[in-house]
Amino acid sequence: MAAPRLLRLNAALAETLGLEPAFLASPEGVAILAGNAVPEGAASLAMAYAGHQFGQFVPQLGDGRALLLGEVVGRDGQRRDIQLKGSGLTAFSRQGDGRAALGPVLREYILAEAMAALGIPTTRALAAVATGETVRRERALPGGVLVRVASSHIRVGTFQFFAARQDLEGLRLLADHTIARHDPHLAGSPAPYLGLLEAVVARQADLVARWLLVGFIHGVMNTDNMALSGETIDYGPCAFLEGYDPATVFSSIDHYGRYAYGNQPPIAQWNLARLAECLLPLLAEDEEEALAQARAALGGFWPRFEAAWLDGMRRKLGRRRRGRRMWRWSRTCWTA
């Protein structure tokens, strides 16, 4: 970067990660945050993945403008990824420049930290850096880099990458790594891969319920934008409802409302079904048995989602839970 300048440092998050805010704000630290220097011991990489984008499968995607610097174990004992977004070309940039405009960088910083403050699982923003360079989109814009922190960057699309290549060994290694990272209690259990699917289903059901409770619209719920950690990831054309309308869309390219506010729960389950497809060879040798296990796991989505949504709405309204009245989600409203 020509002249990197630190615009915002999340000092509290840096402390949690065991990093020294004063160093990060120094010229040497800013050089690392901007991607001009690599910290000692780091081996940066861009991650490959596949994904369904607006329902269409693309077997080869990847981090076109993001570099994973590495992992840190914070003072709370949690392991997290640190990633630069907008730092330059990668092997997956295709026709892009690998850069990010400063506006979206600041937008993701604000939204990620707002979601964290609302108690919604999310990637976090460690820093926003102005690059001193210009990026060209529809017009010339100032460039920026976001330093993103996540429990991991493992996506449904990461599993799809290996499944599309019929790489069973790679799929198994990825599943084992995901279990070790997010669900270590499953290691050594009789059915660890089924347990992983059930855990991801539960996390996503809870996450989407929390989105709806605050009127959040992700905007681009492609399978490569669904993290197995259950964190909100990739803040693109997202927003919060100003007036309640389940058909509200905040993506200029979502012409048919696939990712509208009211469609987010069924789309989440659809994405989870794509994950289940990837895991079928690991669930059971018999195909019918694997399918039965996958269907049972996916069937847990709606009860979990409805319970989380109703519990949140009761808390909002100051109501205690009474009776056993069941509610169902429709494309337009909640109905008894």
Side-chain angles (χ1 to χ4, degrees):
M1 304 302 171
R5 179 168 57 92
L6 183 63
L7 297 180
R8 181 70 180 179
L9 176 66
N10 191 336
L13 179 57
E15 292 279 4
T16 299
L17 297 174
L19 304 176
E20 179 52 57
F23 170 75
L24 293 177
S26 71
E28 295 82 3
V30 174
I32 293 173
L33 298 176
N36 283 356
V38 178
E40 184 178 352
S44 59
L45 60 89
M47 297 180 68
Y49 42 84
H52 277 85
Q53 299 194 315
F54 291 89
Q56 301 300 312
F57 183 64
V58 182
Q60 174 66 72
L61 295 168
D63 291 331
R65 58 175 179 172
L67 282 171
L68 181 64
L69 283 184
E71 303 172 357
V72 295
V73 177
R75 291 176 176 163
D76 57 359
Q78 297 296 311
R79 184 179 298 273
R80 297 180 179 87
D81 290 351
I82 298 183
Q83 184 188 66
L84 304 182
K85 194 173 180 180
S87 57
L89 291 169
T90 76
F92 309 106
S93 294
R94 291 175 285 182
Q95 302 302 313
D97 58 10
R99 306 295 188 185
L102 183 58
V105 165
L106 296 176
R107 175 185 177 85
E108 180 159 348
Y109 189 109
I110 293 169
L111 281 168
E113 291 309 296
M115 294 286 272
L118 289 168
I120 299 171
T122 177
T123 57
R124 300 290 303 276
L126 178 61
V129 178
T131 64
E133 298 178 350
T134 298
V135 297
R136 296 196 174 275
R137 299 296 181 257
E138 291 82 3
R139 56 190 176 89
L141 298 168
V145 174
L146 177 77
V147 185
R148 182 163 74 183
V149 177
S151 295
S152 81
H153 285 83
I154 304 167
R155 310 157 186 260
V156 171
T158 316
F159 280 81
Q160 290 181 295
F161 178 86
F162 291 97
R165 287 156 180 77
Q166 298 184 336
D167 184 354
L168 183 58
E169 181 60 22
L171 198 65
R172 190 184 305 277
L173 288 171
L174 176 61
D176 289 342
H177 172 74
T178 305
I179 288 171
R181 186 69 173 257
H182 296 299
D183 300 285
H185 63 284
L186 294 174
S189 66
Y193 306 120
L194 176 61
L196 173 63
L197 179 59
E198 291 171 340
V200 176
V201 166
R203 286 194 286 265
Q204 289 297 328
D206 290 345
L207 177 65
V208 175
R210 293 188 183 192
W211 286 358
L212 298 186
L213 289 167
V214 298
F216 178 74
I217 306 173
H218 185 281
V220 189
M221 287 180 66
N222 297 329
T223 56
D224 54 292
N225 289 340
M226 177 177 277
L228 269 70
S229 64
E231 294 175 324
T232 311
I233 191 171
D234 286 342
Y235 291 89
C238 59
F240 293 89
L241 287 176
E242 294 184 1
Y244 181 74
D245 180 358
T248 303
V249 173
F250 274 103
S251 172
S252 62
I253 60 175
D254 191 1
H255 303 297
Y256 300 103
R258 177 180 175 87
Y259 300 138
Y261 171 82
N263 284 349
Q264 292 180 119
I267 286 296
Q269 189 186 42
W270 190 90
N271 288 349
L272 290 165
R274 307 290 76 76
L275 174 64
E277 289 171 349
C278 297
L279 292 175
L280 286 177
L282 304 181
L283 296 181
E285 292 184 3
D286 179 75
E287 183 178 352
E288 289 302 318
E289 174 60 24
L291 284 168
Q293 291 184 26
R295 291 191 186 104
L298 293 169
F301 176 85
W302 283 108
R304 179 83 179 216
F305 168 79
E306 290 173 350
W309 189 88
L310 285 171
D311 183 62
M313 287 302 294
R314 289 188 181 98
R315 290 199 307 272
K316 279 176 172 286
L317 298 173
R319 296 289 299 275
R320 293 183 178 180
R321 184 169 185 171
R322 293 181 180 178
R324 295 186 177 181
R325 193 178 200 182
M326 291 297 294
W327 293 60
R328 298 292 179 189
W329 177 263
S330 76
R331 292 296 179 96
T332 56
C333 61
W334 279 95
T335 55

